[in-house]
């Protein structure tokens, strides 16, 4: 694979996409936004934290693999698991005790916009889309301050029973608390030693402690739902945050009701614009019942596009009954990329999707159902645009404009990514998914699907890793929609 050629393709794709963005009327982005309290862990922080516990107890807790943080030992165990594997994870906590404990024993470096919908809304607004309508059911005044101060960013506000669109800073709900998540970022090569075991962190990544206060409800206000037409015209919706749904609530209500209402919103959005495309951005979902319900009851048959990372592919496959494939995705041996491709394809089929976009460190795979209106080159441009956004976000932490995004073009393509792709070539040509030449373009042609595979840009020392996945999925999805709109406009305009 010619790395120079891929650099050139990144540059061309960036400018191609930049031209198409004005064709979009707007995007809807819901539901989750929170404040991320980010702490970059040093070796000193870590040994201080470990020193607060008996190391044998930490080890015992690691073996129980806690799926919820109930006490500081659960936190310590999940942190060490995440660091050992270099794998991102998000673990819920239902009390404010851990928040207080972390404030007292660790502290944070800075706070910024968090939550997939919050991050995506700000990014799209800063990229200069005509209109971005965000919707966060628990928008507090403090949270609203984290939204970009741009005129194109709006949020529904109910006034005298009527839904108006205002900037989030004028649309918050009074008397509501804020959701603060802790993001523990760690760097590659950090040395860890606990209970006689030593390891070196394999890659930059993070652990998220996600606060789930009991007032949190993933729902849409009745007035907003009934007057959903007021957010139009929009071309697409990016939905996330379903992981917040609980199996059973204190008032006795269950996840089924929340899932059913979430589906109603999706169906209503589609009925208001049948050409609207819906993307769901997945994240780490510890509760397997909820993970399965999100996939089989919300995503399957209702949405068009799914974005996720490699761990999430494995977790999704696992609850859908593909354990063996799930394990081979997670094992990540030399053939990990083959399993990842097979896994993503399985998700496309099981969930009846039009598109599955998997981002990994160094390369992205996008599986497409046959019959998509864009060419593979156009899809490739969308993915490469998102790789430039990821690079810009990794260097800067945030992207304030398209011009700032352009800085991502300076970041080199990952040589590990190129190597992973080389490992995949033989499989693809051997199975007649493509010729060697087609593989060089990143195009695969399956019997019932097509696929794009591209190497991506990776920043050596990222400012932070949290939220990069959201930038990748949002960048690629919006670039795809913009291209679809542009093609449509060109086809209907008189010659
Ligand atoms: P999630 O947030 O969904 O886990 O996605 C994170 C994504 O960020 C990874 O899939 C990877 O593609 C990207 N990424 C990470 Br992690 N570190 C990066 C870096 N240093 N430079 C560019 N992209 C990165
Ligand atoms: C999840 C987390 C949030 C984080 C985001 C980044 O939504 O809850 O804290 O900012 O992921 O993708």
């Amino acid at each position: 694979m010619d790395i120079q050629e891929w650099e050139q393709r990144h540059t061309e794709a960036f400018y191609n996409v930049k031209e198409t963005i004005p064709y979009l009327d707007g995007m809807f982005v819901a539901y989750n936004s929170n404040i991320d309290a980010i702490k970059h862990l040093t070796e000193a922080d870590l040994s201080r934290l470990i020193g607060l516990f008996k190391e044998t107890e930490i080890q015992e807790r690691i073996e129980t693999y806690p799926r919820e943080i109930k006490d500081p030992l659960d936190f310590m165990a999940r942190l060490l698991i995440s660091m050992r594997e270099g794998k991102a994870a998000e673990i819920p906590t239902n009390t404010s005790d851990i928040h207080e404990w972390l404030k007292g024993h660790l502290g944070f470096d800075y706070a910024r916009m968090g939550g997939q919908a919050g991050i995506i809304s700000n990014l799209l607004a800063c990229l200069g889309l005509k209109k971005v309508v965000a919707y966060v059911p628990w928008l507090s005044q403090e949270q609203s301050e984290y939204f970009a101060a741009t005129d194109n960013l709006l949020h529904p506000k109910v006034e005298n029973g009527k839904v108006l669109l205002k900037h989030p800073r004028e649309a918050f709900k009074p008397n509501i608390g804020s959701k603060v998540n802790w993001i523990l970022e760690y760097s590659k090569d950090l040395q860890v030693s606990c209970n006689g075991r030593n390891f070196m962190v394999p890659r930059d990544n993070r652990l998220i402690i996600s606060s789930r206060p009991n007032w949190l409800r993933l729902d849409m206000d009745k007035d907003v739902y009934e007057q959903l037409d007021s957010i139009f015209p929009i071309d697409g919706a990016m939905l996330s945050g379903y992981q917040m749904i609980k199996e059973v609530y204190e008032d006795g209500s269950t996840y089924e009701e929340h899932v059913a209402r979430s589906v109603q919103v999706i169906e209503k959005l589609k009925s208001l614009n049948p050409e609207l495309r819906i993307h769901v951005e997945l994240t780490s979902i510890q509760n397997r019942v909820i993970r399965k319900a999100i996939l089989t009851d919300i995503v399957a048959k209702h949405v068009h596009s799914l974005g996720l990372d490699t761990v999430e592919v494995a977790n999704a496959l696992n609850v859908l009954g593909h354990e063996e494939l799930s394990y081979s995705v997670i094992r990540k041996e030399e053939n990990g990329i083959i399993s990842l491709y097979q896994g993503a394809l399985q998700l496309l089929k099981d969930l009846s999707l039009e598109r599955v976009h998997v981002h990994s460190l160094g390369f992205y795979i996008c599986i497409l159902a046959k019959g998509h209106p864009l060419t593979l080159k156009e899809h490739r441009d969308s993915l490469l645009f998102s790789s430039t956004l990821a690079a810009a976000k990794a260097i800067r932490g945030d992207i304030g404009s398209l011009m700032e995004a352009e800085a991502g073009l300076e970041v080199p393509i990952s040589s590990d990514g190129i190597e992973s792709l080389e490992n995949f070539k033989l499989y693809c040509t051997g199975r007649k998914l493509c010729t060697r030449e087609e593989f060089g373009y990143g195009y695969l042609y399956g019997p019932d699907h097509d696929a794009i595979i591209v190497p991506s840009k990776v920043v050596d020392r990222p400012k932070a890793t949290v939220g990069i996945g959201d930038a990748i999925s949002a960048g690629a999805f919006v670039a795809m929609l913009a291209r679809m709109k542009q093609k449509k406009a060109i086809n209907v305009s008189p010659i």
Side-chain angles (χ1 to χ4, degrees):
M1 272 206 163
D2 185 341
I3 204 158
Q4 226 19 66
E5 201 160 9
W6 279 107
E7 293 286 9
Q8 185 58 31
R9 287 174 186 161
H10 267 84
T11 307
E12 279 166 23
F14 186 84
Y15 295 109
N16 288 345
V17 171
K18 192 172 167 184
E19 255 179 49
T20 60
I21 287 181
Y23 284 90
L24 285 172
D25 284 318
M27 288 290 295
F28 178 58
V29 187
Y31 291 84
N32 58 331
S33 107
N34 61 266
I35 299 165
D36 277 347
I38 302 180
K39 170 75 190 168
H40 289 261
L41 289 170
T42 60
E43 268 174 27
D45 290 327
L46 202 67
S47 39
R48 199 165 38 75
L49 283 177
I50 293 175
L52 298 171
F53 305 89
K54 279 204 186 106
E55 295 191 10
T56 46
E57 279 178 6
I58 300 180
Q59 189 53 40
E60 276 162 27
R61 194 60 66 89
I62 287 176
E63 275 146 32
T64 68
Y65 200 78
R67 288 181 178 274
E68 185 189 325
I69 306 296
K70 292 194 174 138
D71 61 23
L73 208 48
D74 285 339
F75 159 74
M76 215 45 234
R78 285 306 300 250
L79 179 63
L80 291 183
I81 294 172
S82 173
M83 293 180 84
R84 191 180 61 200
E85 328 245 314
K87 283 196 183 116
E90 176 166 350
I91 325 291
T93 185
N94 294 309
T95 70
S96 57
D97 299 358
I98 264 302
H99 179 71
E100 295 306 324
W101 187 87
L102 286 168
K103 249 192 342 198
H105 292 85
L106 189 63
F108 60 91
D109 302 327
Y110 58 99
R112 68 175 198 202
M113 171 63 98
Q116 296 141 292
I119 293 169
I120 292 173
S121 308
N122 275 356
L123 173 71
L124 298 185
C126 291
L127 291 182
L129 265 74
K130 267 190 214 106
K131 181 174 76 173
V132 178
V133 182
Y135 180 73
V136 182
W138 52 84
L139 185 66
S140 68
Q141 179 165 16
E142 187 188 13
Q143 179 69 66
S144 74
E145 304 290 332
Y146 286 81
F147 280 86
T150 55
D151 297 340
N152 55 352
L153 182 50
L154 301 165
H155 190 285
K157 165 96 179 148
V158 184
E159 277 179 14
N160 303 321
K162 199 168 156 28
V163 174
L164 306 172
L165 293 182
K166 299 199 161 182
H167 190 274
R169 294 180 194 189
E170 292 161 25
F172 61 84
K173 288 182 184 158
N175 310 322
I176 187 167
S178 299
K179 169 172 159 54
V180 180
N181 287 356
W182 285 80
I183 316 294
L184 293 314
E185 291 267 351
Y186 49 78
S187 304
K188 186 167 71 187
D189 298 343
L190 206 106
Q191 293 283 350
V192 185
S193 159
C194 180
N195 198 33
R197 297 173 193 217
N198 301 313
F199 64 86
M200 203 153 89
V201 173
R203 58 157 77 169
D204 290 60
N205 225 323
R206 83 278 156 169
L207 174 79
I208 302 180
I209 305 301
S210 171
S211 80
R212 304 278 163 87
N214 58 12
W215 44 261
L216 211 64
R217 291 283 184 288
L218 194 106
D219 251 336
M220 184 172 272
D221 295 346
K222 195 163 158 278
D223 289 318
V224 178
Y225 176 76
E226 279 168 5
Q227 297 170 55
L228 210 47
D229 54 329
S230 60
I231 67 167
F232 282 71
I234 51 164
D235 307 293
M238 296 200 69
L239 305 177
S240 55
Y242 297 115
Q243 66 274 15
M244 241 71 82
I245 297 176
K246 286 189 3 182
E247 255 186 277
V248 185
Y249 290 84
E250 291 73 13
D251 62 6
S253 62
T254 63
Y255 72 97
E256 279 111 335
E257 296 161 41
H258 289 265
V259 166
R261 281 207 292 277
S262 303
V263 170
Q264 276 171 8
V265 172
I266 294 174
E267 289 305 320
K268 183 147 186 189
L269 284 168
K270 289 195 293 192
S271 73
L272 289 164
N273 172 7
E275 289 185 21
L276 188 92
R277 290 294 200 279
I278 310 234
H279 175 96
V280 164
E281 186 61 19
L282 222 58
T283 187
S284 165
I285 309 161
Q286 296 298 315
N287 183 311
R288 291 171 57 87
V289 174
I290 299 298
R291 195 192 301 157
K292 185 161 183 204
I294 292 172
L295 291 166
T296 57
D297 300 342
I298 300 181
V299 171
K301 301 193 188 74
H302 300 295
V303 314
H304 306 93
S305 168
L306 184 69
L308 66 182
D309 68 19
T310 49
V311 177
E312 290 151 15
V313 171
N315 289 344
L317 290 169
N318 203 284
V319 289
L320 294 174
H322 306 288
E323 282 91 2
E324 210 171 305
L325 192 50
S326 160
Y327 291 127
S328 63
V329 170
I330 215 79
R331 269 199 304 271
K332 274 218 172 157
E333 285 149 356
E334 205 175 304
N335 288 337
I337 187 164
I338 298 176
S339 311
L340 194 60
Y341 164 75
Q342 291 170 338
L345 177 57
Q346 192 67 50
L347 293 180
L348 182 95
K349 289 183 183 166
D350 282 13
L351 306 175
S352 317
L353 292 160
E354 209 172 76
R355 174 180 185 273
V356 173
H357 179 181
V358 181
H359 44 81
S360 185
L361 192 65
F363 65 89
Y364 310 155
I365 301 178
C366 184
I367 315 275
L368 297 155
K370 289 275 187 203
H372 197 282
L374 293 192
T375 63
L376 293 195
K377 158 80 168 61
E378 289 163 338
H379 280 293
R380 191 182 74 186
D381 274 358
S382 306
L383 295 192
L384 296 178
F385 175 72
S386 73
S387 157
T388 303
L389 291 189
K393 189 159 171 82
I395 330 174
R396 309 181 52 92
D398 260 324
I399 300 174
S401 65
L402 252 179
M403 217 161 79
E404 286 184 15
E406 220 170 317
L409 289 173
E410 303 298 319
V411 172
I413 287 171
S414 152
S415 49
D416 288 349
I418 293 276
E419 201 183 309
S420 305
L421 263 51
E422 283 299 331
N423 289 337
F424 190 41
K425 183 155 76 185
L426 206 59
Y427 171 88
C428 294
T429 50
R431 293 217 169 23
K432 307 254 179 308
L433 292 169
C434 58
T435 61
R436 288 174 73 86
E437 196 189 9
E438 284 162 347
F439 190 84
Y441 289 118
Y443 306 155
L444 308 184
Y445 304 90
D448 48 5
H449 69 280
D450 293 328
I452 306 284
I453 169 140
V454 301
S456 69
K457 292 175 175 278
V458 170
V459 172
D460 199 27
R461 290 276 160 206
K463 178 127 191 257
T465 60
V466 65
I468 301 182
D470 304 332
I472 298 170
S473 293
F477 184 65
V478 158
M480 177 192 83
L481 292 183
R483 185 68 173 164
M484 284 161 71
K485 277 301 279 293
Q486 185 203 36
K487 277 181 106 166
K488 209 170 150 214
I490 291 170
N491 284 340
V492 295
S493 62
I495 302 164

